Amino acid sequence: MSFSSRRRNYLLTPHRRDGLIECMKSMLMHSFVLDALDTTGADTFSHFEMLIDEHRTMSNRLVEEIISGNSSSDSPNLVKGGSNGGAQSCASLQTMPNAIVPSRLKRLVPGIGTFYTRLPLRKAFEAYNAKYGITKRQYYRTHFSRNARPLMRCQNNLTHRIKISPFSIALCISGRFVCISFNEIRHILNLAQIIAMIHPYSQGETCEVPSRSAGSLLGSKFYGNDGTSEEARGKSGSKGHPERPSETDARVLEAWKSMGEDENVDDATAASSCDNNKSRKQQTSASLPRQSVNRRDRSESIAIEESLSLLPSSASMPGPKLICFDGDQTLYSDGANFEKSPKLAKYIYLLLKHGVTIAVVTAAGYEYQAAKYELRLSGLLAYFRERGLEGGDLERFYIFGGECNYLLRLGDDYQLHAVREDGPGGWVNSTKYLVECPGNWNEVEIKSILDRAEACFQTSLTDQNMRATIIRKKRSVGLIPKVDEKIPREALDETVLRIQTELEEAKVSLPFCAFNGGRDAWVDVGNKRVGVQVLQSYLGIPAEETLHIGDQFLLTGNDFAARSVCPCVWITSPEETTYILKSILRLAGVPLMALMNPSMAEEKDATGQQAENGMKAVDFEEAGRRSTRFKMDVYTGEYINANL
């Protein structure tokens, strides 16, 4: 079996798939095969939008019934075993007394979780489609032949048809190549989540969505969940609740559509590569014909942005009030430090300036040794220092190490400081009412979990002949590769699934997280569900105003647990994180060129970088050189002599 086929079959296993995205992809496949994605794709997303609304309504109603103590036999969400009606259609629920009748979405995707906001999926799909043209990925070719025989057959995903006329026989070949992919659905869900948090709409209202025409992103018609336009509903006399048109929101989304991946670059490479990219595009435009969606150029995009009702630099922006980030592969590459991401640093800086609380919830656990966390975030902290971020904004930056075990906050000196655990105002004491809070953990149970995990690691290491080492910390145990070795991904997944099963069968009472880190595997006492919950409680921020951004949302990942306590955005690289933050700022009306002084826009300092507000641009190369003087083993936290 070749590597490609092995990898393809491996991805079919349940722990490497997401139920909701796979369900959406399978339903969209019908439209793709029937060559109807352009006309029915948006309706499919509207259907899922309706299913999510129904799921949220049933979940909220059940919570209200449990709180009020009215969960009785006549409750519409409950069914008695052996009763008629719903029990007949839910045969599997008859054996469970007082079982909850699942929503239609729950039946389609049994592992579906909680939705804290509505998701304008149709609006997000049409905006994404207008920008990337996913419904236009079709190829048609016609060949005429007088001697061809009438036939119709399918081969290699190409449909061959013969049309006979009195004058000629036409052989029409139409091919469909690439269906909407897993990643594209993930991007659409991410965009829908961002739109929902920045421009929320209540039940019974509909979102303003793009026009069906290919040339315009936002039209004058508004479509409901049934795909019927407001004009059509008015003529038919049906009652609808269209949202009042918002010109500003429409123009903001138009600006999002027009922005490119490399827009507003402020690092050293942007200035030198701008002219080269322009000439390269001119040279290749004629030789590489390519069908693409008409986009606005950068100057027009900036003009749209500047004409919006932008927020003052100190004003609080709409949208999430707390944004939590994973560390590795979200803010920086796996096993690396935050050293060369000026755009990402800029967007985090702008979020802090507009009242958003930032928290890095990472599995990296160095206890309360702040210098080691600072080394991992060296470039970001250097950016804050060079930009002169003020004390009030600095204090809204947190880092939660060990999933949920060590909380630190940035101080006026641009250094991290441990947040007090005990006493008045201590984060452990103030969150003890949460059942899973670290303040309620027992040291004996912590030791029991780590002992079981370490024994399972040792067994897996022996069985699979892995060239790895087991290390143990205060509240975690990990399996890391030996020097210059690599552990296969399948072996890491096997190890993680073994430990998850072992601890679940042991019915441990404390929360834990067993996950595949990409190059290693870890078991932590606690998880990111607890970490995000503690931050929400300690900071007084509700779940619907919290956003978690991470890359590990599969069953063997450590971001998966955060889904149950807040909305999430699934990314796969720091570049995607940069684009997500850029979209949040753009849709919220925050000027991405806020740091650029117009009079200084064309001036450059001695390093060749553009000066911002008269200040010297941050030299990330220097930040990288400084971090190499103090190398650290990211697994153990031990410093390494850089001269060796």
Side-chain angles (χ1 to χ4, degrees):
M1 180 181 294
S2 65
F3 174 78
S4 59
S5 60
R6 176 181 63 83
R7 182 175 183 181
R8 183 168 59 252
N9 294 333
Y10 174 68
L11 291 175
L12 297 178
T13 55
H15 66 277
R16 301 294 302 180
R17 302 170 67 185
D18 180 86
L20 178 61
I21 297 181
E22 292 296 336
C23 181
M24 298 175 72
K25 183 179 178 181
S26 64
M27 294 190 69
L28 290 167
M29 179 65 71
H30 299 291
S31 299
F32 175 75
V33 172
L34 296 175
D35 194 19
L37 190 61
D38 194 19
T39 56
T40 64
D43 294 334
T44 302
F45 280 96
S46 291
H47 178 67
F48 273 100
E49 186 175 339
M50 180 266 295
L51 291 178
I52 291 174
D53 287 342
E54 178 191 78
H55 181 76
R56 293 184 68 246
T57 300
M58 295 181 67
S59 300
N60 294 337
R61 189 181 305 164
L62 177 63
V63 171
E64 293 174 358
E65 292 170 355
I66 294 176
I67 294 176
S68 60
N70 294 328
S71 299
S72 57
S73 59
D74 57 349
S75 173
N77 289 338
L78 300 178
V79 57
K80 291 284 188 177
S83 63
N84 296 327
Q88 295 179 354
S89 61
C90 305
S92 61
L93 297 177
Q94 292 182 358
T95 58
M96 301 172 58
N98 297 333
I100 302 173
V101 175
S103 63
R104 286 185 292 172
L105 184 61
K106 186 75 172 179
R107 297 174 190 270
L108 291 172
V109 188
I112 199 68
T114 305
F115 293 90
Y116 288 90
T117 64
R118 298 186 68 191
L119 291 182
L121 293 176
R122 184 186 184 109
K123 181 178 183 179
F125 168 74
E126 296 196 359
Y128 191 88
N129 182 45
K131 184 172 184 178
Y132 295 105
I134 56 179
T135 60
K136 303 300 181 183
R137 288 200 298 248
Q138 299 173 359
Y139 173 75
Y140 294 95
R141 181 166 59 90
T142 303
H143 173 70
F144 294 93
S145 174
R146 293 181 178 273
N147 299 323
R149 292 181 300 173
L151 59 89
M152 181 178 291
R153 60 191 178 91
C154 181
Q155 181 179 2
N156 296 331
N157 202 28
L158 297 177
T159 302
H160 302 254
R161 293 173 296 174
I162 299 297
K163 294 182 179 180
I164 303 177
S165 68
F167 304 101
S168 65
I169 299 177
L171 174 60
C172 303
I173 303 178
S174 60
R176 303 171 183 87
F177 297 105
V178 181
C179 179
I180 184 170
S181 67
F182 182 97
N183 284 331
E184 287 173 329
I185 298 177
R186 177 174 59 83
H187 293 320
I188 292 171
L189 288 169
N190 290 344
L191 178 59
Q193 186 62 78
I194 294 172
I195 295 174
M197 299 191 74
I198 297 177
H199 303 284
Y201 61 106
S202 59
Q203 191 78 20
E205 294 179 338
T206 59
C207 267
E208 179 187 355
V209 299
S211 170
R212 291 178 184 266
S213 62
S216 173
L217 176 67
L218 296 172
S220 59
K221 295 182 180 180
F222 304 92
Y223 293 85
N225 290 334
D226 57 354
T228 307
S229 67
E230 179 184 4
E231 180 181 357
R233 287 197 302 267
K235 291 181 179 180
S236 62
S238 59
K239 295 182 180 180
H241 302 277
E243 184 178 342
R244 182 173 299 176
S246 173
E247 182 180 355
T248 301
D249 292 353
R251 296 172 68 192
V252 168
L253 196 55
E254 182 76 13
W256 175 87
K257 185 201 75 169
S258 63
M259 74 181 184
E261 298 287 348
D262 57 350
E263 185 179 318
N264 298 330
V265 179
D266 58 351
D267 57 354
T269 61
S272 60
S273 63
C274 181
D275 296 335
N276 295 334
N277 290 338
K278 183 176 180 181
S279 59
R280 189 181 300 113
K281 289 179 180 179
Q282 293 175 350
Q283 294 174 359
T284 58
S285 59
S287 59
L288 296 175
R290 174 184 170 192
Q291 181 181 3
S292 61
V293 179
N294 293 329
R295 300 187 186 180
R296 301 178 186 269
D297 59 14
R298 180 179 176 184
S299 60
E300 187 174 356
S301 176
I302 296 177
I304 293 176
E305 176 184 315
E306 292 176 348
S307 64
L308 298 174
S309 299
L310 299 176
L311 298 172
S313 59
S314 60
S316 178
M317 56 171 271
K321 304 305 178 186
L322 169 63
I323 300 182
C324 301
F325 295 91
D326 180 31
D328 291 77
Q329 207 58 27
T330 300
L331 291 179
Y332 39 82
S333 300
D334 191 16
N337 300 329
F338 195 114
E339 296 175 352
K340 298 180 180 180
S341 301
K343 287 193 292 183
L344 182 55
K346 172 184 176 179
Y347 298 150
I348 294 176
Y349 169 86
L350 289 175
L351 289 171
L352 289 171
K353 290 290 290 184
H354 287 83
V356 180
T357 300
I358 301 296
V360 180
V361 184
T362 175
Y366 310 123
E367 300 187 21
Y368 283 108
Q369 303 177 51
K372 296 182 178 180
Y373 296 105
E374 292 172 1
L375 183 61
R376 301 296 303 274
L377 299 172
S378 56
L380 182 61
L381 300 182
Y383 191 94
F384 292 163
R385 183 186 296 273
E386 293 293 336
R387 291 291 171 266
L389 194 63
E390 299 177 352
D393 299 328
L394 290 170
E395 293 178 354
R396 288 197 302 274
F397 184 88
Y398 293 84
I399 184 168
F400 223 150
E403 309 280 1
C404 61
N405 288 283
Y406 315 108
L407 183 61
L408 301 93
R409 179 169 58 187
L410 195 60
D412 296 340
D413 54 355
Y414 300 96
Q415 295 181 351
L416 293 169
H417 303 274
V419 178
R420 182 174 55 186
E421 293 185 353
D422 303 322
W427 71 269
V428 173
N429 278 354
S430 60
T431 58
K432 272 191 175 182
Y433 72 94
L434 298 173
V435 177
E436 295 182 331
C437 173
N440 299 321
W441 296 351
N442 187 299
E443 291 297 331
V444 176
E445 295 178 341
I446 293 175
K447 183 177 183 300
S448 175
I449 291 177
L450 297 180
D451 289 343
R452 288 179 179 272
E454 186 174 3
C456 198
F457 270 134
Q458 186 61 53
T459 302
S460 184
L461 186 150
T462 303
D463 291 344
Q464 302 184 77
N465 298 321
M466 290 185 287
R467 294 182 288 273
T469 305
I470 299 174
I471 61 174
R472 181 159 175 170
K473 298 183 180 181
K474 184 177 180 180
R475 290 191 175 179
S476 64
V477 58
L479 182 73
I480 64 174
K482 293 182 178 180
V483 179
D484 297 330
E485 297 289 350
K486 183 179 180 180
I487 305 176
R489 178 180 56 185
E490 294 84 349
L492 293 174
D493 277 344
E494 170 69 20
T495 303
V496 168
L497 293 173
R498 283 189 184 187
I499 295 177
Q500 288 179 353
T501 304
E502 171 74 17
L503 295 180
E504 288 171 359
E505 291 179 351
K507 297 181 179 180
V508 297
S509 58
L510 299 184
F512 68 91
C513 180
F515 67 96
N516 176 358
R519 302 187 304 169
D520 48 18
W522 289 88
V523 176
D524 294 321
V525 180
N527 52 39
K528 293 190 178 181
R529 179 182 69 249
V530 179
V532 175
Q533 270 188 322
V534 168
L535 287 171
Q536 290 171 346
S537 175
Y538 183 68
L539 301 174
I541 299 176
E544 58 271 14
E545 295 182 0
T546 305
L547 183 66
H548 179 76
I549 302 176
D551 68 305
Q552 293 277 0
F553 284 102
L554 297 174
L555 293 178
T556 55
N558 63 341
D559 293 304
F560 182 80
R563 279 184 166 179
S564 60
V565 293
C566 70
C568 295
V569 166
W570 187 349
I571 55 87
T572 59
S573 65
E575 290 75 20
E576 283 194 13
T577 304
T578 304
Y579 195 71
I580 288 295
L581 297 189
K582 182 179 183 180
S583 300
I584 292 175
L585 292 167
R586 175 63 65 86
L587 294 175
V590 176
L592 299 184
M593 304 297 290
L595 298 181
M596 184 69 68
N597 187 340
S599 62
M600 304 288 293
E602 301 300 330
E603 297 182 10
K604 300 178 181 179
D605 59 9
T607 63
Q609 301 183 28
Q610 290 183 340
E612 298 177 357
N613 293 336
M615 297 183 298
K616 182 179 179 180
V618 179
D619 189 354
F620 277 83
E621 295 293 338
E622 177 62 22
R625 287 191 294 270
R626 292 176 181 176
S627 64
T628 56
R629 301 172 189 171
F630 305 96
K631 289 187 177 181
M632 182 184 70
D633 188 332
V634 296
Y635 300 119
T636 63
E638 298 178 354
Y639 289 108
I640 303 174
N641 190 345
N643 296 325
L644 295 179

